Amino acid sequence: MSPNWTTPAAAALRADGLRVADLDTSATPGFTGDKAAGQQLLAERTVVLSALQEKLYANGRSGDHRNVLLVLQGMDTAGKGGIVRHVIGSVDPQGVDHASFGVPTPEEQRHHYLWRIRKALPRGGQLGVFDRSHYEDVLVVRVHDLVPPAEWEPRYDEINEFERELVAEGTTIVKVAMFVSLDEQKKRLRERLQRPEKYWKFNPSDIDERAFWPQYQAAYQAMLDRTSTERAPWHVIPSDRKWYSRLAVTELLIDALTALDLHWPAAQFDVAEQLKRLETA
Amino acid sequence: MSPNWTTPAAAALRADGLRVADLDTSATPGFTGDKAAGQQLLAERTVVLSALQEKLYANGRSGDHRNVLLVLQGMDTAGKGGIVRHVIGSVDPQGVDHASFGVPTPEEQRHHYLWRIRKALPRGGQLGVFDRSHYEDVLVVRVHDLVPPAEWEPRYDEINEFERELVAEGTTIVKVAMFVSLDEQKKRLRERLQRPEKYWKFNPSDIDERAFWPQYQAAYQAMLDRTSTERAPWHVIPSDRKWYSRLAVTELLIDALTALDLHWPAAQFDVAEQLKRLETA
């Protein structure tokens, strides 16, 4: 571990007991280095991540059903897209299963909220990425009363049950909640409005949502309190500093992959015999 | 264009009239530079590719239905996976739709051969990648008589019809056939057998397939002759040199994206008004 990590990311970022309202979104928990040190380390660590991911993929191709699912949640501009681009972008696309979950389509709305999620679950050997997820159904849905409380209230338990099932099937779930401050969000939205090449990332409703900030904080708090479990804990990432959030998620993924104790799959054939066959083929 | 390209890749690699049996798989058509020059240029050009792909993605997010579909075909070890890792791996995973087509599953076998293909077509704004494709149904299927000639024979026309439909719907199809020599394939298979971290890429049937080399050449020839159309031409990539094939495919993709004449999507809102709203939100 880099000496700049005084506490491993997985420990420093655990959601347990954390109060969202008290979070310093500009902090860099567990990491004492500055931006330059963080960026330098990120470049090194994505190489490690990529090597581990190749092993996961190799095992998947050899019949191992295990996989890793990164669940990204966060308010607009928190940097979910940047994680995909800069962290997931460092590994082989063959082993990545990326899905993003926006406003449900009419077809999706006719189904249970987990229907579209189940369809997008990663196969064995894949690194799945959910850009937003089933947690939207206890976040935006709760904040805007899209369904009555009697309907969203049981979802926390249901989600825990669902994730228990995934873990039992061999999925390692890495849940990441990214938080920026209201001020940092304003800065990032302003940038989208000041640079024509970023207009497409902006939606006027992003501004409307700012009025619901306290309600979102409460919904995130409830999500952390009720769905951070031993088997699928939440990690809370202060995300005002993009370099930190990218480094932190990289470390969490490295951690998850390392815990799988992956080895190169053994040959399912007689190597010497195949080498001999090859020479005359 | 780099001075090392004496002919643009798209022109130098067009399949028109090419005889597969006469192909020099170690050649670098259109490119006069060496490996070091090629690798240096690849590093520069993937940055260009990534910038173009972001624009495609931005337009897709803004309602543009156009997309680009890279179709990769080639014998085992030709380097399809390396293209995905090193070329597609240079762009934002959010905008990539990757699908690989192996031996059809029992469910896929019950359907028309285009069924699984249609399900995997990229949406608007995506860069789709097919690692193998519907062309397997006139390649391995033809070589091994998996269906009678009366069944595969009409597929050439059917595929042309299918691709006409895709192009009409806004897909730019970039078809790439990668060729290595029988000797180069032996070298690459040997490497897979000599390095335990590559065992998982090897299958004894890869050696069996070498006995069918002439039949595969004939099937590839028929594919090129009958499905290289104005609207969806085949490009033939000599692939003994990995650096060349990666550079060539990068250039073909840059070409395809450039032809779309992409611009950053215009704001679908009043920028000044939103900036004003933001300041008080």
Side-chain angles (χ1 to χ4, degrees):
Chain A
M1 196 166 79
S2 154
N4 279 326
W5 280 109
T6 53
T7 311
L13 299 167
R14 275 290 280 264
D16 312 39
L18 180 135
R19 307 312 305 161
V20 171
D22 300 338
L23 184 71
D24 176 2
T25 54
S26 68
T28 61
F31 191 78
T32 55
D34 61 7
K35 180 175 177 175
Q39 287 178 327
Q40 166 66 29
L41 187 57
L42 178 64
E44 292 166 29
R45 297 297 278 169
T46 49
V47 175
V48 174
L49 175 62
S50 178
L52 284 164
Q53 178 273 334
E54 192 189 356
K55 245 182 218 178
L56 177 69
Y57 179 71
N59 279 279
R61 287 282 299 268
S62 309
D64 193 332
H65 60 288
R66 292 177 300 170
N67 56 36
V68 173
L69 175 61
L70 174 65
V71 174
L72 295 171
Q73 285 293 155
M75 301 285 286
D76 288 321
T77 79
K80 301 183 295 297
I83 296 291
V84 178
R85 187 177 184 107
H86 297 280
V87 179
I88 304 304
S90 69
V91 311
D92 189 336
Q94 293 177 90
V96 172
D97 228 336
H98 174 267
S100 67
F101 298 97
V103 177
T105 63
E107 186 188 15
E108 287 169 352
Q109 270 171 352
R110 283 194 298 274
H111 290 272
H112 189 273
Y113 69 98
L114 290 177
W115 179 74
R116 62 176 184 167
I117 304 294
R118 287 187 189 273
K119 285 206 307 172
L121 290 171
R123 289 155 293 145
Q126 294 281 310
L127 171 54
V129 183
F130 281 0
D131 182 345
R132 304 183 188 271
S133 67
H134 40 296
Y135 286 102
E136 290 294 301
D137 294 284
V138 289
L139 291 170
V140 62
V141 165
R142 168 177 163 150
V143 167
H144 289 295
D145 299 316
L146 300 183
V147 302
E151 199 166 324
W152 57 252
E153 173 60 40
R155 289 182 178 172
Y156 297 101
D157 291 340
E158 194 170 37
I159 285 172
N160 287 335
E161 224 13 82
F162 169 60
E163 292 184 354
R164 179 204 301 269
E165 179 192 317
L166 294 193
V167 171
E169 281 171 2
T171 298
T172 301
I173 311 177
V174 179
K175 298 192 294 196
V176 161
M178 302 176 74
F179 291 94
V180 287
S181 69
L182 200 50
D183 269 0
E184 179 66 21
Q185 191 193 54
K186 182 180 281 191
K187 218 181 88 192
R188 293 183 183 181
L189 288 174
R190 194 186 292 128
E191 204 186 325
R192 291 181 180 183
L193 286 166
Q194 285 172 336
R195 297 174 54 184
E197 75 273 22
K198 296 206 169 198
Y199 287 165
W200 65 277
K201 294 188 180 189
F202 180 86
N203 191 309
S205 71
D206 299 345
I207 296 181
D208 304 331
E209 288 299 272
R210 287 170 62 77
F212 295 91
W213 198 264
Q215 289 92 322
Y216 271 108
Q217 288 209 319
Y220 270 99
Q221 187 69 57
M223 176 190 87
L224 298 176
D225 291 345
R226 299 189 58 183
T227 65
S228 197
T229 58
E230 249 335 291
R231 78 184 74 84
W234 274 106
H235 303 279
V236 171
I237 321 269
S239 299
D240 284 2
R241 301 172 200 260
K242 291 179 182 174
W243 64 265
Y244 175 77
S245 59
R246 291 168 193 173
L247 177 62
V249 174
T250 302
E251 297 294 351
L252 294 177
L253 288 173
I254 288 175
D255 223 55
L257 285 159
T258 304
L260 294 180
D261 191 25
L262 298 162
H263 301 275
W264 292 112
Q268 288 158 1
F269 43 84
D270 182 324
V271 174
E273 181 195 327
Q274 296 300 327
L275 270 167
K276 206 171 134 200
R277 281 185 71 216
L278 177 62
E279 291 318 314
T280 58
Chain B
M1 195 165 77
S2 154
N4 279 327
W5 279 109
T6 54
T7 312
L13 299 167
R14 275 290 278 264
D16 313 39
L18 180 134
R19 308 309 306 160
V20 171
D22 300 340
L23 185 70
D24 175 1
T25 55
S26 68
T28 60
F31 191 77
T32 56
D34 60 6
K35 180 174 177 175
Q39 287 179 327
Q40 167 65 30
L41 187 58
L42 178 64
E44 292 166 28
R45 297 296 279 168
T46 49
V47 175
V48 173
L49 175 62
S50 178
L52 284 164
Q53 179 272 336
E54 192 189 354
K55 245 183 216 176
L56 177 69
Y57 179 71
N59 279 279
R61 287 281 300 266
S62 307
D64 192 333
H65 60 290
R66 291 178 300 170
N67 55 37
V68 172
L69 175 61
L70 174 66
V71 173
L72 294 170
Q73 285 292 157
M75 302 285 285
D76 288 322
T77 77
K80 301 183 296 295
I83 297 291
V84 177
R85 186 177 184 108
H86 297 280
V87 179
I88 304 303
S90 70
V91 312
D92 189 337
Q94 293 178 90
V96 172
D97 229 335
H98 173 268
S100 66
F101 298 97
V103 177
T105 63
E107 185 187 15
E108 287 170 352
Q109 270 172 353
R110 283 195 298 274
H111 290 273
H112 189 273
Y113 69 97
L114 291 176
W115 179 74
R116 62 175 183 168
I117 303 294
R118 288 187 188 274
K119 283 206 308 173
L121 291 170
R123 288 155 292 145
Q126 295 281 309
L127 171 53
V129 182
F130 281 180
D131 182 344
R132 305 184 188 268
S133 67
H134 41 295
Y135 286 102
E136 290 295 300
D137 294 284
V138 289
L139 291 170
V140 62
V141 166
R142 169 177 162 148
V143 167
H144 290 293
D145 299 316
L146 301 183
V147 303
E151 199 167 322
W152 57 252
E153 173 61 39
R155 288 181 178 172
Y156 298 99
D157 291 340
E158 195 170 36
I159 286 172
N160 287 334
E161 224 11 82
F162 170 60
E163 292 184 353
R164 180 205 300 272
E165 180 192 315
L166 294 193
V167 171
E169 281 170 0
T171 298
T172 301
I173 311 178
V174 179
K175 298 194 293 199
V176 161
M178 302 175 74
F179 291 92
V180 286
S181 69
L182 200 50
D183 271 359
E184 177 67 20
Q185 192 193 53
K186 181 180 282 191
K187 218 180 88 192
R188 293 184 184 180
L189 288 175
R190 194 185 291 129
E191 204 186 325
R192 291 181 181 182
L193 285 167
Q194 286 172 334
R195 296 175 54 185
E197 75 273 23
K198 297 205 167 197
Y199 287 164
W200 65 277
K201 294 187 179 189
F202 179 84
N203 192 309
S205 70
D206 299 345
I207 296 181
D208 303 330
E209 289 298 273
R210 288 170 61 78
F212 295 91
W213 199 264
Q215 290 91 320
Y216 271 108
Q217 287 209 320
Y220 270 100
Q221 187 69 55
M223 176 190 88
L224 297 176
D225 291 345
R226 300 187 59 181
T227 64
S228 197
T229 57
E230 250 333 294
R231 77 184 77 83
W234 274 105
H235 303 278
V236 171
I237 322 269
S239 299
D240 284 2
R241 300 172 200 261
K242 290 179 182 174
W243 63 265
Y244 176 77
S245 59
R246 292 168 191 172
L247 177 61
V249 174
T250 302
E251 297 294 350
L252 293 176
L253 288 173
I254 288 175
D255 222 56
L257 284 159
T258 303
L260 294 180
D261 191 25
L262 298 162
H263 302 276
W264 292 112
Q268 287 159 0
F269 44 81
D270 181 324
V271 175
E273 182 195 326
Q274 296 300 327
L275 270 167
K276 205 170 133 198
R277 280 184 72 214
L278 176 63
E279 292 317 315
T280 58

